[in-house]
Amino acid sequence: MFYNQDQSNRNTYKSGFVAIVGRPNVGKSTLMNHVIGQKIAIMSDKPQTTRNKIHGVYTTDHSQIVFLDTPGIHKRKSKLGDYMNNVALNTLNEVEAVLFLVDVSAGLGGGDKYVIEQLKKVRTPVILVMNKIDQVHPEALPPLIAEYNELHEFAEIVPISALNGSNVNRLLDVLGGYLPEGPQYYPDDQITDHPEQFVVAELIREKILHLTREEIPHSIAVTIEDMRVQENGVVYISAVIFVERDSQKGIVIGKQGALLKEIGKLARQDIENLLGSKTFMELWVKVKKDWRNQDRILRDLGFRHE
């Protein structure tokens, strides 16, 4: 578990769960990381970066919101795609409110319309969150809002910039109105319910996404084989990077292991910031042919239908 530095014994009077949905690459993980104040969901300019439902916990003096950052809803091309869509859509029935995040700089597209059709099937209040307002002229927003309103009746519409935090506090205030009175689910200082190994594996995968191109990002999975604190206080990490083809293995390793070393170097920086400890990390690359379409391998890698 990971924790905020500020700890207290505040009581929480309202609590609830909020799902963040939208097509891939609209800034869902960026928004949750900004609200939580620490990186727990990886970010990339490549679609389908988020594969699992990430829980982020935001606690104040009077409320606690558990955010569920879901995989981007998209047209399915593999069993992994089926899994990702099922996770995103099943989440909508478990929450007090749904944040439908859209990228205003990209305009209203077919992907957004597809997500809206899915949202029409749920009774949960849907808040339209218009992200990336820092990238468009303010006069562009009213006509775009009108376009979205023609497709669905949203409970609220809140323009924001998740990257620089513009109007995010307003969004949090709006969400507070949808929280019922309830218990504090997590301690004040806990910011996610995922184990350390999960977040560490995701941070490694993030660096691979940044450093590779073409088909590699979607063919990558990362698992932590071993993670423990050694006698000298250094955290030892052994991680396996899975690819689907032998040619991909060579790309990830790079010439004389150069790319793999760079992946480890960049990941280690984020991991040490997160853990607050020095780390020693070993990375291995293995081939699991066509793993995205094999149920057993998907289960072994942690992708389970809910």
Side-chain angles (χ1 to χ4, degrees):
M1 302 297 180
F2 298 107
Y3 301 93
N4 286 321
Q5 299 298 316
D6 182 27
Q7 301 185 23
S8 66
N9 293 316
R10 300 184 302 267
N11 291 321
T12 300
Y13 300 100
K14 286 188 171 184
S15 61
F17 295 78
V18 173
I20 308 175
V21 302
R23 61 179 175 79
N25 201 26
V26 295
K28 298 183 295 295
S29 298
T30 304
L31 173 59
M32 190 170 70
N33 287 339
H34 178 86
V35 170
I36 301 306
Q38 192 167 339
K39 181 186 286 188
I40 57 173
I42 68 172
M43 298 179 290
S44 167
D45 60 357
K46 299 177 177 65
Q48 301 172 36
T49 297
T50 301
R51 289 174 175 169
N52 290 275
K53 185 167 60 179
I54 311 293
H55 291 202
V57 184
Y58 174 74
T59 305
T60 69
D61 290 332
H62 50 78
S63 66
Q64 185 173 80
I65 305 174
V66 182
F67 287 96
L68 313 178
D69 176 21
T70 63
I73 299 172
H74 62 287
K75 292 183 179 179
R76 312 171 184 201
K77 296 181 180 179
S78 66
K79 288 188 176 181
L80 176 59
D82 290 339
Y83 167 85
M84 292 163 64
N85 271 6
N86 287 335
V87 168
L89 296 175
N90 289 345
T91 297
L92 306 185
N93 297 316
E94 306 171 358
V95 297
E96 275 66 50
V98 174
L99 300 183
F100 172 38
L101 217 65
V102 301
D103 177 356
V104 297
S105 68
L108 174 59
D112 294 314
K113 293 178 181 177
Y114 175 80
V115 176
I116 289 172
E117 289 305 308
Q118 310 308 310
L119 294 176
K120 289 179 179 179
K121 303 173 185 177
V122 301
R123 296 180 181 178
T124 308
V126 178
I127 299 170
L128 176 63
V129 182
M130 309 190 77
N131 190 28
K132 305 188 184 181
I133 58 172
D134 54 310
Q135 298 183 20
V136 299
H137 194 281
E139 293 180 359
L141 288 180
L144 189 57
I145 290 172
E147 284 187 71
Y148 278 98
N149 273 331
E150 289 180 2
L151 297 177
H152 188 66
E153 184 176 347
F154 296 99
E156 310 270 357
I157 299 177
V158 184
I160 70 162
S161 170
L163 187 62
N164 63 32
S166 296
N167 220 33
V168 171
N169 285 339
R170 167 62 183 158
L171 175 61
L172 293 172
D173 288 342
V174 168
L175 282 177
Y178 290 88
L179 299 180
E181 290 189 8
Q184 182 171 331
Y185 294 102
Y186 299 97
D188 289 355
D189 53 357
Q190 187 170 336
I191 59 173
T192 184
D193 67 346
H194 278 290
E196 294 173 346
Q197 288 89 339
F198 173 86
V199 182
V200 168
E202 285 290 271
L203 290 174
I204 295 169
R205 188 166 67 90
E206 178 186 54
K207 305 314 173 189
I208 302 170
L209 294 178
H210 285 316
L211 294 172
T212 58
R213 293 290 182 269
E214 299 175 354
E215 83 282 1
I216 294 294
H218 304 304
S219 302
I220 291 291
V222 180
T223 62
I224 303 301
E225 299 287 293
D226 189 12
M227 182 170 166
R228 65 182 185 273
V229 180
Q230 301 178 123
E231 290 184 3
N232 59 2
V234 174
V235 179
Y236 170 77
I237 300 169
S238 175
V240 177
I241 300 166
F242 290 105
V243 295
E244 291 186 313
R245 295 194 293 276
D246 291 326
S247 60
Q248 295 169 342
K249 179 177 179 179
I251 293 173
V252 172
I253 293 174
K255 187 176 181 180
Q256 296 181 335
L259 186 60
L260 192 62
K261 289 178 183 177
E262 184 68 10
I263 291 167
K265 174 183 148 186
L266 295 177
R268 190 179 300 109
Q269 293 171 358
D270 275 354
I271 292 167
E272 289 183 350
N273 287 338
L274 197 63
L275 300 177
S277 303
K278 291 291 185 182
T279 63
F280 176 78
M281 184 162 57
E282 291 184 309
L283 297 178
W284 312 91
V285 184
K286 296 182 180 181
V287 177
K288 278 187 180 287
K289 296 187 183 297
D290 197 31
W291 68 262
R292 286 178 291 173
N293 283 304
Q294 298 186 41
D295 289 327
R296 181 185 60 78
I297 292 177
L298 288 173
R299 286 194 301 271
D300 290 345
L301 292 174
F303 301 110
R304 291 179 171 83
H305 292 280
E306 299 189 4

